[in-house]
Amino acid sequence: MQHPRCTSTTHTHPDRVTPAAVRIDTGIFANRFAAQGMSQSQRWAALVEYAVWAAGRSDLLTAIRTELRGRDLVCACPVDDPSCHRSVLADLAHPGREPHSHPAALTVRRPWASMLLIPSSVGGKNVENRTWATDYRGPVLIRGAAGPQTGVDAAGIAMCGRMGFDVPWHSAQKGWLGAAVLTDVHEDAGCCKPWGQTRRHRDQPLYHWVFQSPARLAARTWGAGFEGLHPHPWSVLVNRSALHGQPRAARRRPAGEPLSLIHI
């Protein structure tokens, strides 16, 4: 089966667009969260919102499987535009194959991971503290560490309680939880309170990774753990049965489980 080829109406002559091409900047496949005149960080935010939204849309996932597999994906965005949603569609159309581009992914201990997906406008965590820096900027898929002991951080639980968040719920959120946009990385200078920590050892630097525009999955998914910042496919955000069009037994919502995607 042929892997979709990504082309651009900006750089491709109309006569070179194949009959198998599908326009993805209009109709059901268009990114409804993107708009003209957006800044780069806003376009990344629109990409994250689209990917998380698409992961929960069974009708869209069905259309991707039936209409995009083996088809060329045509969009007005330049082919090398990292904020174009063609990367999401190309990946979901052929999960497991080399995609157009990968977002980065990060494993975060609980409950910090879940708190990263609370909007900062309601007090959510927007800084992740690391002893190393990265030049990467853009979408980051967030995975909550799964280890029963190593996956949970006592300081995170204490901070979660001080901020008035639901400690048991956030502490239980593991697996792929959603995504956010990494917009800045800088060395600690006593800034970014209350989430930015202060360096404790002179010989060990501390960096503040600043995140914006978080988007939480309606239903978390599962995957193997990893360390560091690594590229992962967008398809990790989608339940495997939904991704491959397999029927899934109905899940009953446990008593007390919230329906809101913004849970504090």
Side-chain angles (χ1 to χ4, degrees):
M1 183 180 295
Q2 181 184 354
H3 185 70
R5 181 169 61 96
C6 298
T7 60
S8 169
T9 56
T10 304
H11 300 284
T12 302
H13 190 278
D15 293 340
R16 297 181 181 178
V17 177
T18 69
V22 178
R23 291 292 300 262
I24 60 169
D25 50 2
T26 60
I28 188 175
F29 300 116
N31 185 352
R32 60 176 58 197
F33 305 100
Q36 294 290 333
M38 282 184 163
S39 66
Q40 182 60 69
S41 61
Q42 289 173 327
R43 296 197 70 210
W44 279 332
L47 178 62
V48 163
E49 189 75 13
Y50 178 82
V52 171
W53 170 81
R57 289 291 302 269
S58 60
D59 57 338
L60 180 60
L61 295 173
T62 298
I64 291 172
R65 288 194 308 271
T66 58
E67 299 181 34
L68 297 188
R69 285 186 178 174
R71 308 289 294 275
D72 296 342
L73 308 185
V74 182
C75 184
C77 300
V79 174
D80 59 352
D81 183 353
S83 54
C84 178
H85 70 299
R86 64 162 59 90
S87 60
V88 177
L89 293 172
D91 185 26
L92 297 184
H94 287 81
R97 297 192 181 187
E98 186 63 28
H100 179 65
S101 64
H102 272 317
L106 190 69
T107 293
V108 182
R109 298 180 74 185
R110 310 191 315 270
W112 297 120
S114 183
M115 290 193 290
L116 268 175
L117 298 176
I118 301 174
S120 59
S121 59
V122 292
K125 174 178 165 69
N126 66 338
V127 174
E128 174 65 9
N129 299 278
R130 297 275 159 164
T131 57
W132 48 281
T134 178
D135 293 329
Y136 176 84
R137 302 293 183 271
V140 177
L141 311 181
I142 303 297
R143 177 184 176 275
Q149 300 297 329
T150 58
V152 180
D153 183 67
I157 291 176
M159 186 64 168
C160 189
R162 286 198 297 271
M163 296 300 293
F165 299 150
D166 187 334
V167 175
W169 191 85
H170 288 290
S171 298
Q173 299 307 300
K174 50 189 174 183
W176 295 106
L177 305 180
V181 180
L182 179 61
T183 59
D184 184 39
V185 177
H186 59 263
E187 196 163 357
D188 162 54
C191 55
C192 301
K193 301 299 182 183
W195 301 108
Q197 297 177 358
T198 302
R199 183 172 63 178
R200 297 179 180 178
H201 307 286
R202 291 184 178 180
D203 58 345
Q204 186 178 57
L206 183 67
Y207 296 92
H208 295 169
W209 294 31
V210 182
F211 287 90
Q212 295 179 1
S213 308
R216 187 186 298 273
L217 289 169
R220 51 189 167 150
T221 62
W222 305 101
F226 59 94
E227 295 183 356
L229 186 71
H230 293 288
H232 273 69
W234 290 104
S235 56
V236 299
L237 300 179
V238 183
N239 177 274
R240 290 184 181 181
S241 60
L243 186 64
H244 297 283
Q246 300 168 349
R248 183 187 184 193
R251 173 183 176 271
R252 296 185 62 184
R253 184 171 61 90
E257 180 177 304
L259 291 173
S260 173
L261 301 187
I262 301 178
H263 187 77
I264 58 176

